[in-house]
Amino acid sequence: MSKHCSLQETADVLKSAKKIVLCSHVSPDGDTLGSTLGLMKALQKLGKDVIVTADDDISKVYKFLPGIENFVRFRDEERIDADLLVVIDASSLDRAGNVAQCVKAPKMLNIDHHISNTEYADYLYLDTVAAATGEIMYELIKVLGTEIDVEMAICLYTALYTDCGSFKYSNTMPKTMRIAAELLELGVKPNEISDSMEIKPRSNIEMLTRVLETLTFDADGKIAYISISNEMYDKDVDTDTFISYPRYIEGVEVAIMFKAVENALTRVSMRSRNLDVSGIAIAFGGGGHLRAAGCTIMAALPEAQKQLLQALKDQLV
Ligand code: 5GP
Ligand code: MN
């Protein structure tokens, strides 16, 4: 169990440390990266010694984020001393990859918005209503008392933009829009963020055409899924947005993307209209939100598909 902190207590925990490691989750997305970079700059303005890390490759999509070049990846055998480890936008410690093992810090703080949070850190700031961890970060930076400059604003806006599906998803609250509006006032250009996020290399669209050929329906059209076999898989092609195609088909309640990252390791992404898919993800060792969740199944693609579809159909009846 973690100590649940208020924003002020979270700010105090950060202020009492000098050397701080900020950790984004594996399969880093715009929310974890933008939140981490926003906090990095705020802490640097307070004179802190900050390291930002993720135990994964960072998609080229995010190269436009100011400060992204600061990200380092620790080797498993590396040991880094710090006063505080902050794990950002990760609901369970496995999402931190090797970072918890590499960083030797007396305390760990987790800042998160996932309903599936497992309370693994000493201190926890959890707001499951926040559309994005970036929303929490905006408020936290205000409590820390640092000015949000345009670079930080770009990072925080990207965090919001990512997790509420460019302000389309049900998690988009009046507060989300108010924060986004304030970030625009600080100089964010919405078209520049959306162009950075949406303009894709040709290889991405070429992969998409192949992936769409795998589109399959199940449960009388309530389930639609796409699959990336291990032969098709290319780590340099960003496939994060592909799931929106099965998601926006009439009659589909749950959309799934299966990605065979290795022969016996399949990543699963789920999006739903109403069904709580976080529960299914948790049952497979993953997590997420009610309508957007994911997990990793240690099985080859056909077996992973069989297991997940069965679990899903049991829930749909
Ligand atoms: P995505 O499908 O975009 O990878 O993830 C959807 C949501 O589920 C995100 O909020 C993400 O953090 C969460 N999620 C995805 N995969 C996992 C996983 O393996 N473990 C946990 N705890 N959460 C996950
Ligand atoms: Mn998030």
Side-chain angles (χ1 to χ4, degrees), residues 25 27 29 89 91-92 94-95 113-114 116 163 267-271 285-289 292-296:
H25 64 69
S27 309
D29 60 15
D89 192 40
S91 60
S92 54
D94 58 307
R95 302 281 286 160
H113 69 132
H114 291 94
S116 61
D163 264 29
R267 281 277 317 149
V268 179
S269 286
M270 291 180 277
R271 302 290 183 269
H289 308 281
C295 56
T296 299

Side-chain angles (χ1 to χ4, degrees), residues 208-234:
L208 176 64
T209 61
R210 299 174 65 200
V211 173
L212 287 179
E213 282 174 7
T214 71
L215 177 66
T216 309
F217 294 94
D218 203 338
D220 296 326
K222 290 197 187 71
I223 298 174
Y225 60 94
I226 50 176
S227 309
I228 301 175
S229 66
N230 194 232
E231 293 71 44
M232 287 159 74
Y233 175 69
D234 179 346

Side-chain angles (χ1 to χ4, degrees), residues 116-134:
S116 61
N117 191 284
T118 58
E119 305 206 13
Y120 56 86
D122 303 297
Y123 303 107
L124 171 64
Y125 184 85
L126 179 66
D127 178 359
T128 58
V129 179
T133 298

Side-chain angles (χ1 to χ4, degrees), residues 1 8 29 33 46 49 51 82 85 92 94 120 141 166 169 212 222 224 230 239 253 261 263 276 295-297 309:
M1 292 297 264
Q8 186 59 57
D29 60 15
L33 295 172
L46 293 170
D49 179 2
I51 297 175
L85 169 61
S92 54
D94 58 307
Y120 56 86
I141 291 169
S166 4
Y169 297 164
L212 287 179
K222 290 197 187 71
N230 194 232
T239 56
E253 169 59 30
V261 176
N263 264 323
D276 173 9
C295 56
T296 299
I297 301 179
L309 289 168

